[in-house]
Each structure stands twice: as structure tokens, then as C-alpha cells.
Amino acid sequence: MKRTPMYERHIAAGGRMVDFGGWELPVQYDATGIKTEHLAVRSKAGLFDVSHMGEITVKGPGAEKWLSRLVTNDIFVMKDFQVQYNIMCTEAGGVVDDLLVYRYGPEKFLLVVNAANVDKDWDWLRKHLPGDGVILENISMKTAETALQGPAAEAILARAADFDPSALRFFTFTDGVSVGGIPAIVSRTGYTGEDGFEIYVPWERGAELWDLILEAGKDAGLIPIGLGARDSLRFEAGLPLCGHEYTDILGPLEAGFGFFVKVDKPGGFIGQPVLKRQKEEGLRRKIVGLRLEDKGVPRAGMDVADPSGKMVGTVTSGGYCPSLDANMALCCVETPAPAEGESLSVVIRDRPKQGVVVKRPFYDRKYKK
Amino acid sequence: MAKIPQDLRYTKDHEWIRMEGATGVMGITDYAQHAMGDIVYVELPDEGREVRAGEDFIVVESVKGANDVFSPVSGTVAGVNGDLDGAPELLNEDPYTNWLVRLEVADPGELDSLLDAGAYAKLVEELEAESE
């Protein structure tokens, strides 16, 4: 199994290590646990080791035009040093992966992709590479990454960095700065629904970065956060997870992320004809949010029924939301989908448990814009 | 180090049981609650349900996922711990005071085949060594 540069730190801190897509990472830390870690990010700050994420650079005179064909959002309208959320689709309108696109300029981009999909994405990008004009490099194993998230994130980073993080706007980044003397790329992004930063440094300096940020944040209540809370935070904040809200067949419009799909952008993109047709003809299924009223915990893969008992879909993500103290689910259901306030049930161990359709996201995101 | 009271009998699946007259009182062990993490819901069986030894009949849901709990012995569910309804975290706080189910035990002799505290402590020690 692969280990990040912070592996020894996780062991020393009582991290309960699990296999996550071939990476040995902590699901939680013994002294805290998922619920405490989750609430710490919402109220103070948390530090995540996300060095397993994939980083790929796209360079060359043809970079902008080529990349645009592979992603759903409009990268032509991006300003330099902006970050943009994107989805990479198949011809059939399903999803290869979702990713962040960092734009340096028309001839240089950095893509940040899901750890479990790095190889698949790399093959997909290579397969569509033109004869010349675009150079790809997979720098995943050269790049360590931490996410510093929570209301205290800005103050903590200000203590460690040689630049003023308050000047960094939401979904922008800076390169060539240093954090505690370590050369870094820093973006104001995250996967928790809180304000925060993602910090990329050379692989061999990952543990050093980890130590110095924890030190900078120790009086502000900063604690390390495992994968368990990473998932509960993103779920509560309405952020999709590839393999759950997106699959080979479940596309970005059905998942409710049409805002990031520009079906009429110049030059089109892979999957565009299918998504455009979905938009014009209407969706056959879509994801709705559900709060369980009966007792029980919905989990991904469980069946969803309407009040008459007819099966209408499945749970894509489900679980307990610590900030809401409620059991919630995202359900992919046939259209016409029920409106907010209407009922659906989740079949938990053969018993239908009643819930009410609620708006997404479940948690009001606290970004600093 | 997980707490393991001397006066209980244990299963390899980390349940405990204690006889009170003809009734068995059972729950999950300290090792189990720790491994499960923050417990958010306990699905208890209906009273009167008959169970066989080793049958799954309770589900403990934690933030990490659903965990099956197995009956240590054969018998009939005579009562469930209603305190857990609305306060499932009691299981994390003290899994021995906060029992799950009372069982009318069909054959109290079955308890002899379960682990005593010493044997269970050895099992837990091995598991804890493995995870380090």
C-alpha cells in the first residue's frame, strides 16, 4: 500500500489506518473520532492530509483549447490564478472524474483529481492527447497536499505563511509563495463547506509542512482530521463524491451540478451532445436530499420508495450528519421527483423508513467570498 | 487498553453476557464500541423474537457504518434497553452498564462454551497487537 509523507505523523497521533484506494490513511484519530473531528472543522479548524490526491499539469500552446474539450465548465472565461470546479465526462454523459482546474494562463494548467482515479484519468487524458502542442505531466507522487479548513484557517495560515492569506479570494490560488519556508502553491478551496485553504508542497517536505501548520494552529484549536470526517463534512455540505453522486451512468445534471456544465460553450466537450439533450428533453432521474424522520441510518446503495411503496431509486450517499444531528441521504430517483416537504422512504434491512425531501445542501456553506 | 470486567462471559464477536436468574443480559464490549467509533443509532429487536446462538439480531450504527451484533446464546428476547433510544452514545460511554437486550436463555449451559474474561482479554490483546 502507498503511504503519504505524513504517514509517521498519523501513526504517532493515533490514526486508525485504513486502505483508501490503495493508500494507507487515517479514517480517524483515537483521541478524537469522526464526530469530534467533524465539529472541530465547523467551529475551529482541522488539518487534512490529502497527499493521495492526483496532480497533473497541462502545458503547451494547445493546452487551453484541448483541455476545454475534456471538461464541462468554461475554462476560457477563467482569469489567470483562478480555480474552477469541473467534471470530466464520457461520450455517454457519465463521469470519468470531477476535478479542480488551476489556470496559470492559456498555456499552463494544473489539474487536481481524485486519488482513486489518478490512473484512470491519466489514461483518459493520454488517450485524447493530440500529436503536438500539449504536454502532460503526472506530478502526483512529487506533490504533497494538506487542506487547512475551518473558520480559524485564515488566522492560522497567516501565522505560518510569508504572504497574507486574507488577500486570497475564494477559488483563486497563488504560486511561488512559501509556508514556513517551504515553497508552496496555495488555493482558497476545500471540500468541507467551510472557509479554508489547500496547500501543495514538494513531496519530501510534506511532514515538515504538517508539523508547522499544527504548531501554528495549536492555540486556535486546530486538530488533524481523518477520512471519516472528510466524508461526513463534504456530504453535509452538499459536495459530490465521484463513484456516489457521479458514476459511469449518473451524470452531472442528474446529480444537480448543472451550474458547472456549459452545454453551449465554444468548441463543445466530450459528452456535450448527450448532456445538451438531457437538458432540452428533461432528466429521467435526479438526486434529491432526504432527512429521515423514522429512526435508522441510510447508507449508499439502499433502495428508495415513494409513499405508495413503489421503488423509485437508490441512496447515493447517506449517513449521520453531526452538525445537524440528523440522518440524511442523497437519493437518485425517477422524475418527476418529489418536491421539498414531500415523503420518500429508504428501505433499511427490509423495512421502509420514512423521510422528508429537503433542500440541498443540508448545511449552509460558510465560504469567504 | 479495552476494559474487560471479570464477571462476564464473552464471544469472539465482542458481545458480553451475564446471567441474572434465568435471564441473560447482553451487550457489546468496550473493544467493540471503540472499534465502531461514535455510535449514532441502535436498532433493537422486537420483544418475543427467538434467536439462535450466533444469529445477528441487533444493528449498531456508527458514523463509520452499520455493525451487526450476534446473540451469544439461543433464547427469546425478553426486553430491550429503551435508554439507548435517543441516547445511543451511552454505548460509547459505558458499554457494560448500558446493556442492549435481555434474553430468556433456552439453555444456560450454553454460557460454558463462551470465553471467560481471561480468554477474551487474550483475544483482544492479539487484535490490538495486529493493528499496531
Side-chain angles (χ1 to χ4, degrees), chain A residues 160-193:
Chain A
D162 75 345
F163 68 100
D164 176 13
S166 72
L168 204 58
R169 304 282 304 268
F170 185 60
F171 264 67
T172 65
F173 73 103
T174 176
D175 194 351
V177 291
S178 96
V179 178
I182 306 168
I185 302 169
V186 181
S187 59
R188 197 158 200 153
T189 51
Y191 195 47
T192 60

Side-chain angles (χ1 to χ4, degrees), chain A residues 202-222:
Chain A
W203 186 263
E204 62 278 8
R205 303 194 73 174
E208 194 187 332
L209 178 76
W210 183 259
D211 292 343
L212 75 88
I213 295 180
L214 280 177
E215 179 63 27
K218 76 172 185 220
D219 298 333
L222 177 66

Side-chain angles (χ1 to χ4, degrees), chain A residues 16 27-28 30 33-36 295-297 299 320 327 348-349 351 353, chain B residues 34-38 40-41 43 46 59 61-66 85-86:
Chain A
R16 206 173 295 169
V27 65
Q28 65 173 61
D30 271 344
I34 295 174
K35 196 171 167 182
T36 301
K295 290 189 171 151
V297 185
R299 306 283 183 189
Y320 174 74
N327 291 305
I348 302 178
R349 292 176 284 279
R351 291 188 199 177
K353 305 277 186 162
Chain B
H34 183 71
M36 290 174 188
D38 301 309
V40 296
Y41 174 62
E43 192 175 279
D46 294 331
V59 181
E61 297 263 11
S62 75
V63 284
K64 287 199 262 181
D85 188 15

